[in-house]
Amino acid sequence: MKAKIRTLVEAEEKVNYETRMAEKWKQDLEHMMSAIHNGGGDITKPYLTEAPYLVLVFSQPYGLDRETGEKIDHYYVAQSVGIAVGMFTAALHEASLCSLVSTPMGSESEVKQMLHRPVNEKLFCLMPVGHPASDATVPKVNCHEHEHEPHVTCSGTQFTSLVPWL
């Protein structure tokens, strides 16, 4: 199943890069995307099949009344699901696991159909989960301190939260 999902996602992302994405968008993100996609060439997402688990997160923009089939509006869906994904990611890290949250741009309906998901669900993101590879690296982030504001000091992979009023 993971291999089928990977094939769908890679094929659809190729279409995105070739026909849907603006040139400016591609140029602005080239430095980041080239690190993920073999130097900017082929679109490959080996982490989708190499990770022992692939979590698919679905949102539910609306519910369905079981008796009448009528739509029931859900509010703040993207925000709620985004927060849940963040909390899940934090829990994974606490368990010494890692994930690369990615969006399945364009392949949502095919993946949803393959998994026989209900009409009121939307594929929100893909989360391959496992232990980090032995050669995995973490980007160095430089954060700046702001006087009288909570901030995070970043150094390599160590993050220390500094809250001045505690």
Side-chain angles (χ1 to χ4, degrees):
M1 186 65 67
K2 289 190 302 183
K4 288 180 183 180
I5 292 171
R6 177 181 171 182
T7 300
L8 282 173
V9 170
E10 288 175 346
E12 206 52 47
E13 189 155 333
K14 184 174 193 236
V15 172
N16 286 335
Y17 275 93
E18 291 174 353
T19 63
R20 297 178 186 140
M21 294 177 182
E23 286 302 315
K24 179 160 180 14
W25 187 93
K26 291 189 276 189
Q27 290 169 1
D28 289 347
L29 297 180
E30 183 177 10
H31 68 283
M32 181 177 72
M33 302 315 277
S34 66
I36 296 172
H37 299 303
N38 289 339
D42 295 334
I43 294 180
T44 60
K45 296 180 176 281
Y47 49 86
L48 294 177
T49 50
E50 291 172 359
Y53 302 98
L54 180 58
V55 176
L56 283 72
V57 179
F58 287 85
S59 66
Q60 211 178 60
Y62 60 92
L64 294 171
D65 184 282
R66 290 182 187 197
E67 293 177 17
T68 66
E70 290 183 38
K71 287 184 179 183
I72 302 167
D73 291 333
H74 292 165
Y75 301 100
Y76 303 107
V77 174
Q79 295 87 341
S80 298
V81 176
I83 290 167
V85 167
M87 293 174 70
F88 182 58
T89 302
L92 291 172
H93 290 183
E94 189 66 25
S96 298
L97 296 170
C98 64
S99 182
L100 172 64
V101 179
S102 64
T103 56
M105 299 185 306
S107 61
E108 300 95 329
S109 57
E110 289 180 76
V111 172
K112 183 177 144 177
Q113 183 179 3
M114 180 183 8
L115 298 173
H116 308 289
R117 301 305 306 168
V119 296
N120 63 326
E121 289 187 355
K122 182 178 179 189
L123 184 55
F124 186 81
C125 69
L126 306 171
M127 298 181 69
V129 175
H131 291 284
S134 60
D135 61 346
T137 59
V138 176
K140 182 171 176 135
V141 179
N142 293 319
C143 299
H144 303 283
E145 294 183 18
H146 300 283
E147 192 173 327
H148 307 296
E149 293 181 19
H151 59 277
V152 177
T153 302
C154 308
S155 173
T157 59
Q158 181 179 9
F159 297 85
T160 307
S161 179
L162 303 176
V163 182
W165 58 81
L166 291 180

